[in-house]
Amino acid sequence: MGWYRTLRLPPWAPSGRFIGLAWAVIYATTATSAIMVFRRTTSEPFIGIAALFLINAGLHLLWSHLFFQRRRIGAALIEMQALWATVLLLMVLIRPSSPLAAALLIPYAAWVPVASILCWRVWRLN
């Protein structure tokens, strides 16, 4: 995190505390959504949806690795678009079996574009 503190950030960048709170909400709602879906879904769709949840989690970890460990802000920004696509696809696939589970992903779907804009601004400023 020392490297992150040296970056120029846009004036509207949220505090680390706010980002931590946002991710806590996203993790909780995503986990709840996944549990709801896994309890309702039959075997064939379950495998595809479970795989997509795992891909999404992997993309989230990859973003953190690219941004914080590799310091590849541009690559992280590009990767974030794939992350957002998985969130939106999960919402579409989940909605028929559980509209509530799909709605629980709204905070995630809303946060990723904001984080993308922030990532883009950080990339441009540095």
Side-chain angles (χ1 to χ4, degrees), residues 63-77:
W63 182 88
S64 295
H65 174 73
L66 288 170
F67 189 90
F68 291 108
Q69 277 78 43
R70 300 291 308 266
R71 302 177 183 178
R72 302 284 312 264
I73 302 170
L77 177 60

Side-chain angles (χ1 to χ4, degrees), residues 7-72:
L7 295 174
R8 291 189 317 226
L9 302 175
W12 55 268
S15 69
R17 184 173 288 182
F18 178 84
I19 292 172
L21 176 62
W23 276 110
V25 169
I26 289 166
Y27 289 143
T29 57
T30 301
T32 303
S33 174
I35 290 166
M36 290 174 70
V37 169
F38 296 156
R39 287 185 177 169
R40 292 181 156 219
T41 309
T42 60
S43 61
E44 189 176 314
F46 172 83
I47 292 169
I49 291 171
L52 192 54
F53 267 111
L54 290 174
I55 290 167
N56 175 269
L59 287 170
H60 176 71
L61 292 172
L62 178 60
W63 182 88
S64 295
H65 174 73
L66 288 170
F67 189 90
F68 291 108
Q69 277 78 43
R70 300 291 308 266
R71 302 177 183 178
R72 302 284 312 264

Side-chain angles (χ1 to χ4, degrees), residues 4 7-14 117-119 121-123 125-126:
Y4 181 78
L7 295 174
R8 291 189 317 226
L9 302 175
W12 55 268
I117 294 167
L118 177 60
C119 187
R121 289 296 297 143
V122 170
W123 181 52
L125 289 169
N126 295 278

